[in-house]
Amino acid sequence: MKPSAATARAGANIALVKYWGKRDPVLNLPAAGSLSLTLDQLETTTTVVPDETLSADTLALNGQAADVSRVSAVLDRFRRQSGHAVFCRVESNNNFPTGAGLASSASAFAALVAAADSAFATRLDDRALSEQARLGSGSAARSIFGGFVEMAVGTRPDGSDAVARPLLSAEAWPLEVVVAVVDEASKAVSSTKGMNQTQATSPYYPAWLGQVPEDLQAARSAIAARDFEALARVGEGSALAMHASALAARPGLIYWRPATLALIDAVRDLQSAGVAAFFTIDAGPQVKVVCLPEAGQRVAAALSAIDGVQRLIHCRLGPGVRVLG
Ligand code: DP6
């Protein structure tokens, strides 16, 4: 079948047990497993248009020409697998700020592989899509699935078992996530660079890595038991340990802004008042606050009162990647 245009949409995901470091940079294999929530509001929609008249792939990201190399590497595998050597025009649109610590690469590569799979009619199953997405960006492997998702570290040298799997559907435990956007500008150090620098230079990196299996176990148990307090403990602990390892890199990586700390304080105040909420922070200054649905409004009100918060994005848990046509 001749390749034809296809569009797919994927939600960003927020890791509760973080991915921070690689064991193989070529296959983009993670140094440890991770665990995340897929969100319904932060979405990327990507269209892949195979075009015989092109002499190279092109990428438009939110309407602007962008570096196509990581996208081309993904498309190359679909070209090889399908036997169709046609270049593609790729159009990708985020409904949220790109590159500001809101996991744009996760939704982007998940949407890209699903669109490419449909365009090239390669008919990969979700596990194979997750592997392909991982090759683009580690966290993208998780955005293939909805709800609660675990990414396996894997043991095979070819990376075929370093894939994500769904743990629990979004409906089974409908948590909410309020994202407090502190700075919409792109971050100074990308997660890829930040984790490589941490791994190569931080004296605390081995301690970080050693803690992940225990955190994964604790998070899995908390999710199975719908134990919000236990999930809060492991979620905040994993985020702070990741940032502690990054802070100790040389030179140190400081992703936070004053408003980031003010938000952490606000979450602690909410917790003291008995509100079921906890924070997590990725490679940027934004703070994501996970809460029970009944706490959503109170959390949003408290966060919006903090100086330096530019806007809030109130998310529910969302579905996995889907092809739109
Ligand atoms: C802090 O998936 O962006 O968000 O595999 O190099 O593309 P690459 O890294 P990426 O890293 C995400 C790091 C994180 C934590 C997480 O999402 O688990």
Side-chain angles (χ1 to χ4, degrees), residues 15 17-20 22 28 34 70 105 136-139 142 191-192 195 242 282-283:
V17 179
K18 303 292 184 193
Y19 151 50
W20 197 244
K22 303 174 197 273
N28 204 29
S34 55
R70 280 169 92 180
S105 67
S137 183
S139 53
R142 301 185 307 237
S191 8
T192 308
M195 68 175 77
M242 180 199 112
D282 293 302

Side-chain angles (χ1 to χ4, degrees), residues 149-169:
V149 180
E150 180 170 355
M151 173 74 190
V153 59
T155 55
R156 291 186 206 145
D158 69 356
S160 55
D161 58 349
V163 295
R165 71 182 167 102
L167 286 180
L168 190 72
S169 73

